[in-house]
């Protein structure tokens, strides 16, 4: 006759069963290595020509040394608010007849004053964000009244 009483498992069989029931270790986390895109990114954005040439030559903010535009209070004015890449916002008061280049001069002077290192940038406006027109366009033509 056969002995049907329960017997303890051998240690090897118990260890194999424990390994088989254990969950697999989670995969190691890897940092994000891609690049960010928005829905409006159909093609690679064209950088500002002055910023691109300055980046290639390794110079500081190219427009920061230019004289800043004066605001004539007798003419219509507008206030333009910018959100910088670092997260801060800045407001600039300009005349509607000032150009996009005048706005760039103010932005670069502000960035240089805060000690930000030079890097290429692009000014965007609207929703979805679109690049601003050429530097000789006025703020009124660019539809940046109280933007």
């Amino acid at each position: 006759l056969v002995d049907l009483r329960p017997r303890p498992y051998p240690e090897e069989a118990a260890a194999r069963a424990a390994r088989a029931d254990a969950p697999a270790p989670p995969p190691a986390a890897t940092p994000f290595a891609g690049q960010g895109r928005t829905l409006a990114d159909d093609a690679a954005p064209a950088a500002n020509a002055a910023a691109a040439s300055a980046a290639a030559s390794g110079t500081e903010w190219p427009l920061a040394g230019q004289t800043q535009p004066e605001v004539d209070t007798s003419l219509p004015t507008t206030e333009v608010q910018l959100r910088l890449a670092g997260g801060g916002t800045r407001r600039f008061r300009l005349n509607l007849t000032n150009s996009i280049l005048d706005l760039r001069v103010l932005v670069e002077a502000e960035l240089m004053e805060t000690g930000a290192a030079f890097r290429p940038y692009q000014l965007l406006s609207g929703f979805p964000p679109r690049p601003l027109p050429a530097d000789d366009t006025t703020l009124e033509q660019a539809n940046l009244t109280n933007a």
Side-chain angles (χ1 to χ4, degrees), residues 92-129:
F92 300 105
R93 182 167 289 282
L94 294 163
N95 292 110
L96 292 176
T97 56
N98 286 112
S99 66
I100 301 292
L101 181 64
D102 294 333
L103 181 61
R104 287 186 190 279
V105 168
L106 289 173
V107 168
E108 290 191 16
E110 178 73 25
L111 290 171
M112 190 173 83
E113 186 178 302
T114 60
F118 176 79
R119 65 181 187 182
Y121 68 96
Q122 188 175 26
L123 293 177
L124 305 171
S125 102
F127 187 80

